[in-house]
Every structure is written in C-alpha cells, then in structure tokens.
Amino acid sequence: MTDTVPDNYRPEQVEAKWRARWAERGTNQPDLDHAARPFYNLMMFPYPSAEGLHVGNMFAFTGSDVYGRFKRLQGYDVFEPIGYDAFGIHSENYAIKVGLHPAELIPRNIANFRRQLERVGGMFDWRHSLSTTDPSYYKWTQWIFLQLLKAGKAYKKKAAVNWCPFDKTVLANEQVEGGLCERCKTPVEQRFLEQWFFRITDYCDRLLANLDTLDWSDTTRTAQRNWLGRSEGAEITFEVAAAPAAQPPNRPIAGITVFTTRPDTLFGATFMVLAPEHPLVGRLTTPAQAAAVGAYIEAAASKDLVSRKVGDRDKTGVPLGAMAINPVTGHEIPIWIADYVLMEYGTGAIMAVPAHDERDFAFALKYGLEIVRVLAPERVDPASVPGNSAMVAAETDTAGYVLVNSGKFDGRPAEEAKRLITAELAERGQGKPVVQFRLHDWCISRQRYWGPPIPVIYCDSCGPVPVPEKDLPVILPPIEDFRPDDSGISPLARHEEWYYVPCPTCGQRGRRETDVSDTFLDSAWYYLRYPSSEFDDRPFDPARTKKWCPVTTYIGGNEHAVLHLLYSRFLAMVLKDLGHIDFEEPFTRFRAHGLIVKDGSKMSKSRGNVVIPDEYIAQWGADTFRMYLMFLGPLQDGGDFREAGINGPRRFLDRVWLMVTEAEEGGELQKSLVVRWHATKKKAAEDIDGLRYNTAIAALMELVNAMKEAGSRDRAIIADLIVMLAPFAPHFAEECWERLGHTTSVFDARWPAWDEELVVADELEVPVQIGGKTRARIQLLRGSDEATAVAVAKADPTVQKFLEGKTIRKIIYVPDRLLNLVIG
RNA sequence: GCGACCGUGGCGGAAUUGGUAUACGCGCCAGACUUAGGAUCUGGUCCCGCAAGGGGUGUCGGUUCGAGUCCGACCGGUCGCACCA
C-alpha cells in the first residue's frame, strides 16, 4: 500500500522512528515531582484479554489520548498512565477454557496489549504502568482492606451465592443462564456463605449529594442516582392480632414493621407480605399452615438469585395463618409470605395495598384477597367510591388523586396525606418517616482463585485476625488446581499447606481466609497507584498524590458508569475520612465514550464481528487509523466501523504532507484565508475540548481546502496546521515538524493563538428573508446597523421583485446573521 | 413496565443552540492525466422543474417574523434498570 502514499512518506518507518525517539527523549514522561501545571489524564484500564485490543478499545484509548495530547499542547504537564485490570473471573474463565494457568496466560496478554498500545501511538508514561495481579500492587489492595477492617467499614455476614449442585461450585451471576448453570445446565440453587462486606451504605447520602458537584455527564449521574435509589417513606408497625399456636406465649411479637413509600394508602392495606427469609416467619406460622409454609420456603431458597429477581413475575405465596392489625382501620388482615418481597430491601416486609400497587394487585387477584380503593381522582365525589371496588388495574398515581374511604383523611391530596398519616402514626409510636436506599453493602468475597487473597487469619482463640501489615502481601500461591472442582470449596481451601499459618496474635494454628477479593476492589483505587508506582513502602506517596489527584479528566465506558465509579468514589471517601488522602471525589471530570458498532450491531465475540485493529494499522499506519476513528463521530456517541471510509483521512494526510514539502515563506495572504486560519485555530480548540473530534478534524480539512483554493503554501499556516493535527496524528505531526526545520518535539510547541478580531470576516454574506423565506443574500460589513442592512437589501433586484406592491410591516434584523422583512 | 437518549442525502455525520438545512468525509457520476488505475487531479451530486419557482430534517398538529432545534400526540429505534414496596 505504500505505493499509494507520496513516495517520500512511509508511515511504517516514520512511526517506528518516532516511537523510538519518544522513548529515548522521555517525551511522554512528565516530571511527577516538579510539574508546574499537572494534568492527570486517565483512561479506564483494560482487562487484558487473549484477543487483544479490538477497534472499540482503540477508539476509546485514542479518544483519551487525543485529549491528553491536546492538553499538553495547551501547556499542561500531562500524566497519561495505562495499566491492566488483570485479576478476575474473565481471565480465570478464559484460562480454564483454553487449558492454561492464568499466571501463564496473563503476562502474555499484557505483552500483546502493550505492543498494541505503543503501536497506536498513545502518550503513555510506561514508567508508571501497573497490573493489578502484581504482588507489589495487590499488597496495597490488601492493605486497603485492612484499613477498612480497622475502621469498622468491613464486616462479615452470611449472604446468598449461586451454587451449582452438579459442579459443586459458586457461580457468578453472569454464569447463570435462565436459572441453569451455563456449563452443565443444572438448575442453580442459593447457598448461604459467610462473606466480607464493605459498608458502602454508610455513605449513601454523601455519594448522592456529591453528584451535584461533579463535572460528569448527566446520564452517568442519573445512572448513579438510580442505583443509589433514594426513596422517602415511612416505617409502620403492625400489631399481630392474636398469638397463633406457633408463637411461644412467653415471647410475644411486638409487631411487624414494614417500609412503604405510600403511607397515604394505609387505609387500603388489606394484607401483609413478608419475605420468605423474614425472621418472624416461623413464629407467625400456625400449625395448620406449617407444612405449606415450609415447602414454600424451601422452594424459594432453591431458586437461584438471578431468576428469583428477574425471572418470571408470576406471583406466588402462602398465608402464614397469623393476622395483623391495620393500625388505622383496626381491621385484621392476613399475613402471607411471597418471594416478590425481598429481605434485602426495607424491612423485608410490606403492607399490601392491592388497589394502588401493581404487584399487590396481581397477588390479590390471584388469591382472592380484598381490594379496597382509597384514592380517587379529585373530581370524583368521595362518597360515591365504593369501599370494595372491582378495579381493572391498580391506580398508582398520586398527582391529582385524593383520599377516599380513609376516614378523616378523605378528600386530602395524596401527597399531603403521606405527611399527615405518617405524623399521626409517629405520635402514636407506630411509625416514623424513613429514607431508604436501594444500594446494598458491597460484597467483596469471591470463592475463586484469580484474585488477591483476603488478608485475614481465623484463630479458634482469637477469632478473625487481620494479617499484620508487615506480612503483606499475602501471596496468591501458584497452585495447579485453580479450577473449580467437585470438592465443593474455594480453590485455596484445598491447600492446607497454604492456609494453615500461626495466628498472628497468639501463635496457635490459624487458618487463612481462602476467598479472594472482588476485581472491583482492584480497580477502585488504581488511579492512586499510578503516580506512586515506584514506591515499595507506601501505596501512594502523599506529595505525589497531592500534586496529581484527583484525576483531572477520566474517560471510560458506560458499562462502568455505575459500579466501578461508585466503588471508587466510596473508597476515596473512606480513605479521606481515615486521613490518607485529602479529597473525596476521585474523578473531577468524567466522560463516557460511545461504542463502535459493526454492521449496525455492537462488536462482540459472540456475534463474531470483532474487528482487530492490527491489520489496519499495518496497512494504513497508526496516524491514519487514529484520524479515521476520531472522524467517525463524536467520541461520546461512538460510530459505525466501515473500512471504506479510511480513505478519506489517508488522502487528507497525503495532501498535508505534500504541502509541508512545498511550504514557503508567505507573501501577502488573502483576507478570506487569514479569517479561515484564525477561525480554525479557535474552532478546533473548542471542539477538541468538547470531545467533538470529528468536527475539529473537519475544520482542519476545511483549512487545507481553503489553502488549496487560494493556492497558498504559507509556512506559518502550515506550521499551525501541523500543531493542530498533532493530537490526532502524532507521528505524522512530528515528522512534518522536523521537516519544517524544528529540532524539538511538536508536543513542546503550543496550540496556536488566534486573534479574536480575525476570526470573523469584515464583510459578511447575510441572508434576506421575505416573510420568513430566504430570497436573497447581501454583502454587509460586519456590525452593520439595521438601516444600512435594509437599504442594501432594498437595492437588491430580487428583493425588489418580492417587495413590489407590498408594504413592510415589520423588520427583524439580527446583526451579521439575517434580515427578515415581514410584508403585509 | 420504569427511566434516559435518538430519528437529517445512498452512507458516517454537520448546523454558531430559535436565524442560509445537508459543513467535512465516504460512495457515486462526468472529465483530465494515463499502457493501465481500486492512484492522483478537476467538476458535479437532497427531490421536482428547461427556467422562474416549489417541496424537503420519521408522522400529524401547535407556538413564532422564522422550527432539524421549542411544545403536544403518535410511529420507529437504541441503551440502561428491572418484583426496591
């Protein structure tokens, strides 16, 4: 393909030359201790798959790199590190599939990733690369666990996991397909294991409130808000009507507390539902119901977590036999259990208001339970609404609805009634206003091999003992049988030579924790490690961290808009509270890049439409490939990869190269070209800053077109053009820069300044509309007043034709923009 | 179901945020240079019309001097979340 390029420009050689020179000169290595204007440009680090980076990854990395290079040209000391998120279930599953040990596979993949990342011309500071699988990294991941443990932010409790009874192993949610184990197709069950949790729920209010202060896109902030899921409501306590036989008389049940966002509908609560796991279930079950209840609980427990939550919505349930008392109506209502009520949310119990909740409505219809309507549109006469009405569907709106069948609250708007009823219950000691979050504590335990061992030792005398910091890292042992097998325990739990260690406190035989931690913990703090990656004795150096953190601009995928960003924010808050860092929001500015699609669908291995960039880069060169990707569409939208379009950027670079070789000291420049030149400097800068790379490139193309049209090879314009091109085509720009006679890197140059006065031409073409339709165009001096504009317009023959015999009723004049003559 | 976003040429996409719709590029058509061209260069390229002119941004309606942009309804699509009380 080199024969299609001007024969003195060979991308392959030129790019190799500049890669070598950048490495030699340390061009991409800012002085981390003395930088005057630090700018931390971060890209989400990749998981090093065996396939290598695909075109979608390249799009994202290049997008981030363009931004970093642009900031550098603006005079910032840009730190742009890259690393590998190499622990976790993806890597482990792939290793299992191809029959290799992950410890063997991962370094190979990393080497390939690094080759690709260097080849595409990223401005990465390789001195500060890292992999989460490196003991010098996960030592500090374990250290962070210990800090949380010491601070009481880590705790252990029993929680459900997916369990395959055939493979006898724990499955991640993504390994469960339709309730079946993806490998052996056996129905998956729930098992309850002791697992480690982080108290992220202690930070709900801060995680929510801070969102308003962040320069993040609205979609990401909305996603975080939804995930946090704040809702205001009330807890209401229902008394139990009569002691059922199962309830020991010496331990009366004080009451059952429910959470509701709709206290206004309390009069319509005709039954109550508990989660099958609710602790009071046993004591509320009458002997007559015991068998049915027991069977139901067992059935619910054997459902896997995925289908329990997202599977069939068919409501099922069983009455316990006991009755509760509605605190406002005094009526006895039956207590049921049903698996549509989740133990993890609220109190694990609900008051069911079938008339005004879809789920309760469906449940009531199925089991013939009473439906009492307590809200009606405000126009309806409350007296006319029957107490027990046949409804077609639940009415769940509050706006425009008032209470009916609700005693003294009849006629009150629903929103007002929420407050009134809650207040009345509070007075009686039967309720209180409560704010609930959907977010749960973060379970970090994984019953897997490929992760950092959780640094805890269990001792019969001392209980769980943290591994002393001096003993970190707890090295992940290189065992061969890392695969899940039918022994039914975590891989590390098969190795007593590893897990039996003396208790750090008493010296007796202790047993290591054999679970590893979640990959999200690895990635929740990596940005802190990059600037300090060379220090062995501290996770992040205080001075370095102060200089470089928080991250100035973070770019990454939307798939991490919720969990990764939330966990990172949480951890920063904890580290700040513990005095380790002095900020609590790790990413000042975050933008999500779009996805590259191929033939209209998302690139994925399963669709078989993954495009590997290597061959394109080999054929066209990295610069052309980068330009092509960035020209596809706005970074935040992504684009459709079609090989055909790659011609455009290549031809463009060829033309620019030709111009560089023909550059000459300019004589007189056409005024229109000068305007285009200055306008381009401004527009390209603004567009790049807004990540609108596609229009920035278009502006550069327009400048080149204008030069061709004017027959100009002006050296000054060409030099500016090369600087503006440098973020997109870094090797090319360096070569041109050198050709223009410079001996230093183009990235030591500055983005060209523009003269605001020269950005707009002195003489403008202004459209003249007659009655809102464009009829003519007139030439006006910039800043002409209305009278002048009208006079010039009236002199125009076409305008005259349209005005003939008409009177001008109104004149709308937007200076330099448009003149509209409204005729009668 | 809930939430967010989006519908512009043959295609990817522009449109100064209410002010010349289709910038830039791909593709296509014609021509030039060529033994040759999947290279390069020049010109053309929303639709109807010889022209004057008319129509046109998913559909229908509205606000406005003026709407791709704002409002309402509908049609179509993408992405999240999904029994959260």
Side-chain angles (χ1 to χ4, degrees):
Chain A
M1 265 306 150
T2 42
D3 64 327
T4 66
V5 173
D7 53 21
N8 55 350
Y9 189 89
R10 301 185 183 276
E12 184 108 30
Q13 282 96 313
V14 169
E15 289 171 8
K17 165 183 161 185
W18 287 101
R19 279 199 305 277
R21 205 170 282 186
W22 290 334
E24 256 164 52
R25 293 175 174 175
T27 310
N28 301 336
Q29 302 170 357
D31 181 338
L32 294 185
D33 295 314
H34 304 104
R37 300 178 69 195
F39 190 102
Y40 193 167
N41 189 55
L42 185 64
M43 173 66 210
M44 279 184 190
F45 63 167
Y47 134 71
S49 69
E51 294 78 24
L53 292 163
H54 59 66
V55 167
N57 302 132
M58 284 298 184
F59 174 75
F61 285 113
T62 305
S64 175
D65 187 59
V66 167
Y67 196 74
R69 290 184 179 278
F70 171 67
K71 283 294 159 187
R72 166 131 182 200
L73 289 169
Q74 286 192 322
Y76 291 95
D77 298 292
V78 177
F79 178 45
E80 190 173 297
I82 193 74
Y84 311 97
D85 189 17
F87 262 144
I89 202 146
H90 280 105
S91 306
E92 190 179 306
N93 286 347
Y94 189 81
I96 290 169
K97 194 172 135 196
V98 300
L100 285 172
H101 197 284
E104 187 183 337
L105 189 66
I106 289 300
R108 249 194 256 174
N109 294 349
I110 285 178
N112 185 41
F113 267 56
R114 174 158 180 172
R115 180 189 59 74
Q116 287 183 295
L117 289 165
E118 287 185 304
R119 185 66 187 85
V120 83
M123 195 176 68
F124 301 116
D125 184 345
W126 292 106
R127 298 171 308 171
H128 291 275
S129 192
L130 60 83
S131 169
T132 54
T133 54
D134 195 325
S136 68
Y137 181 85
Y138 70 72
K139 170 182 181 178
W140 301 113
T141 307
Q142 293 170 336
W143 177 86
I144 284 174
F145 174 88
L146 294 179
Q147 306 314 305
L148 269 80
L149 186 59
K150 272 197 290 188
K153 296 297 176 193
Y155 65 99
K156 223 176 173 196
K157 73 170 181 192
K158 277 204 165 190
V161 294
N162 297 299
W163 178 261
C164 172
F166 180 82
D167 288 337
K168 296 196 173 65
T169 186
V170 169
L171 301 175
N173 281 350
E174 54 268 35
Q175 294 177 292
V176 182
E177 288 172 353
L180 304 178
C181 170
E182 68 170 0
R183 299 195 306 164
C184 65
K185 310 299 175 200
T186 308
V188 171
E189 303 172 353
Q190 286 180 68
R191 276 223 174 167
F192 287 85
L193 300 178
E194 287 275 328
Q195 312 205 58
W196 286 100
F197 286 82
F198 283 169
R199 292 190 195 279
I200 190 172
T201 53
D202 286 359
Y203 291 78
C204 283
D205 287 319
R206 248 157 112 187
L207 288 166
L208 185 64
N210 282 8
L211 284 175
D212 296 331
T213 69
L214 297 174
D215 178 11
W216 289 16
S217 59
D218 287 340
T219 53
T220 310
R221 290 193 297 179
T222 302
Q224 296 242 322
R225 265 185 215 109
N226 292 343
W227 196 263
L228 290 164
R230 183 181 193 273
S231 52
E232 287 181 13
E235 279 186 2
I236 301 175
T237 302
F238 286 59
E239 282 171 22
V240 177
Q247 183 186 353
N250 56 336
R251 287 174 59 210
I253 295 170
I256 305 168
T257 301
V258 303
F259 172 72
T260 180
T261 55
R262 297 295 303 276
D264 53 309
T265 62
L266 180 55
F267 284 82
T270 54
F271 59 102
M272 175 179 264
V273 187
L274 308 189
E277 301 87 354
H278 196 284
L280 290 177
V281 166
R283 294 166 64 196
L284 291 166
T285 305
T286 57
Q289 287 301 104
V293 169
Y296 187 80
I297 291 172
E298 201 173 313
S302 71
K303 274 193 196 178
D304 69 283
L305 296 172
V306 177
S307 54
R308 162 92 184 261
K309 285 194 172 172
V310 305
D312 67 289
R313 268 137 209 253
D314 224 18
K315 301 281 179 292
T316 59
V318 180
L320 295 178
M323 305 289 277
I325 299 171
N326 183 317
V328 288
T329 63
H331 295 162
E332 290 198 3
I333 59 174
I335 305 170
W336 287 61
I337 54 171
D339 67 2
Y340 79 92
V341 174
L342 307 172
M343 196 59 222
E344 310 93 85
Y345 186 75
T347 62
I350 62 160
M351 64 177 211
V353 184
H356 305 290
D357 181 278
E358 286 176 20
R359 297 150 302 178
D360 299 344
F361 184 71
F363 195 78
L365 280 189
K366 177 164 176 181
Y367 292 107
L369 296 161
E370 196 184 2
I371 299 172
V372 175
R373 186 176 183 176
V374 292
L375 288 175
E378 52 195 347
R379 288 175 212 290
V380 175
D381 173 16
S384 73
V385 179
N388 200 336
S389 61
M391 300 177 73
V392 192
E395 290 186 322
T396 57
D397 290 342
T398 55
Y401 278 75
V402 296
L403 269 64
V404 295
N405 298 317
S406 298
K408 63 182 178 183
F409 299 102
D410 278 359
R412 297 284 190 178
E415 289 300 333
E416 186 190 349
K418 283 184 181 176
R419 292 191 299 276
L420 294 174
I421 292 177
T422 305
E424 172 150 338
L425 289 169
E427 217 165 284
R428 292 204 248 146
Q430 286 183 294
K432 59 177 179 189
V434 160
V435 171
Q436 268 292 332
F437 285 88
R438 205 186 74 114
L439 185 73
H440 301 146
D441 274 340
W442 174 15
C443 176
I444 60 130
S445 293
R446 295 290 180 272
Q447 295 74 36
R448 283 290 185 144
Y449 169 69
W450 194 235
I454 294 173
V456 170
I457 294 167
Y458 300 97
C459 167
D460 287 340
S461 326
C462 312
V465 179
V467 171
E469 288 180 20
K470 65 173 173 51
D471 293 341
L472 296 180
V474 177
I475 296 284
L476 179 67
I479 60 172
E480 276 311 309
D481 55 340
F482 66 90
R483 297 164 186 79
D485 65 15
D486 55 10
S487 63
I489 46 178
S490 296
L492 292 177
R494 297 177 206 130
H495 287 263
E496 49 174 65
E497 79 285 359
W498 179 76
Y499 65 66
Y500 280 136
V501 287
C503 166
T505 309
C506 69
Q508 291 180 341
R509 191 170 81 168
R511 190 182 193 279
R512 286 193 190 280
E513 168 67 64
T514 53
D515 286 351
V516 299
S517 60
D518 182 9
T519 324
F520 277 115
L521 180 57
D522 302 327
S523 58
W525 76 281
Y526 75 115
Y527 68 94
L528 284 166
R529 184 63 182 164
Y530 280 133
S532 302
S533 62
E534 77 267 41
F535 298 113
D536 292 333
D537 59 343
R538 64 205 103 153
F540 28 88
D541 178 72
R544 286 276 175 87
T545 306
K546 199 168 181 57
K547 195 164 198 61
W548 293 96
C549 293
V551 169
T552 323
T553 291
Y554 193 27
I555 290 178
N558 250 325
E559 69 276 16
H560 291 124
V562 177
L563 291 184
H564 162 62
L565 292 176
L566 202 63
Y567 291 151
S568 301
R569 296 179 59 217
F570 156 67
L571 215 56
M573 287 174 187
V574 175
L575 291 172
K576 187 197 177 197
D577 290 351
L578 297 179
H580 294 294
I581 56 179
D582 62 0
F583 59 90
E584 65 179 40
E585 285 296 340
F587 313 120
T588 307
R589 183 176 193 241
F590 171 75
R591 294 290 182 274
H593 64 252
L595 292 176
I596 294 294
V597 300
K598 168 79 173 154
D599 308 322
S601 57
K602 192 171 151 181
M603 262 184 217
S604 71
K605 259 184 296 172
S606 54
R607 284 191 182 83
N609 62 352
V610 174
V611 181
I612 302 299
D614 298 29
E615 52 182 301
Y616 294 99
I617 294 175
Q619 185 175 351
W620 304 94
D623 291 317
T624 297
F625 191 66
R626 288 168 62 108
M627 292 272 299
Y628 166 66
L629 290 179
M630 297 301 97
F631 191 54
L632 275 177
L635 185 69
Q636 292 175 83
D637 292 3
D640 198 343
F641 185 85
R642 288 175 323 118
E643 196 186 333
I646 206 164
N647 252 329
R650 201 220 60 216
R651 286 206 274 246
F652 172 67
L653 291 182
D654 285 352
R655 282 183 208 126
V656 173
W657 175 252
L658 200 63
M659 278 188 176
V660 167
T661 60
E662 295 171 352
E664 58 197 19
E665 297 308 327
E668 193 73 2
L669 287 177
Q670 284 180 19
K671 193 63 203 295
S672 64
L673 181 57
V674 172
V675 168
R676 169 67 66 187
W677 178 19
H678 284 267
T680 303
K681 291 189 275 193
K682 180 178 183 179
K683 179 170 172 54
E686 289 175 351
D687 284 355
I688 293 175
D689 208 42
L691 308 181
R692 295 180 300 270
Y693 301 150
N694 54 330
T695 49
I697 293 171
L700 299 180
M701 289 173 165
E702 287 182 77
L703 177 60
V704 169
N705 291 345
M707 288 185 77
K708 275 173 36 178
E709 209 168 306
S712 170
R713 291 289 180 272
D714 186 82
R715 195 177 197 88
I717 302 181
I718 290 171
D720 283 357
L721 174 69
I722 295 308
V723 176
M724 294 191 282
L725 215 39
F728 302 106
H731 321 80
F732 175 84
E734 290 279 28
E735 186 71 10
C736 293
W737 197 242
E738 187 178 63
R739 178 88 177 208
L740 289 171
H742 296 274
T743 53
T744 54
S745 169
V746 69
F747 293 100
D748 292 331
R750 288 290 166 270
W751 187 269
W754 61 89
D755 184 340
E756 210 50 68
E757 271 304 298
L758 293 174
V759 165
V760 186
D762 291 337
E763 192 170 306
L764 299 162
E765 190 183 70
V766 175
V768 181
Q769 298 185 339
I770 314 266
K773 289 194 183 259
T774 303
R775 296 298 186 185
R777 295 178 172 90
I778 54 175
Q779 297 293 321
L780 286 179
L781 288 180
R782 179 147 55 101
S784 296
D785 61 13
E786 182 175 308
T788 313
V790 172
V792 174
K794 279 180 171 169
D796 183 274
T798 317
V799 173
Q800 281 168 6
K801 193 180 100 188
F802 278 95
L803 286 181
E804 215 173 301
K806 307 278 171 45
T807 44
I808 299 174
R809 279 193 10 220
K810 193 174 173 186
I811 296 169
I812 289 132
Y813 178 59
V814 185
D816 303 338
R817 285 253 73 85
L818 143 148
L819 174 66
N820 187 5
L821 304 174
V822 184
I823 53 178

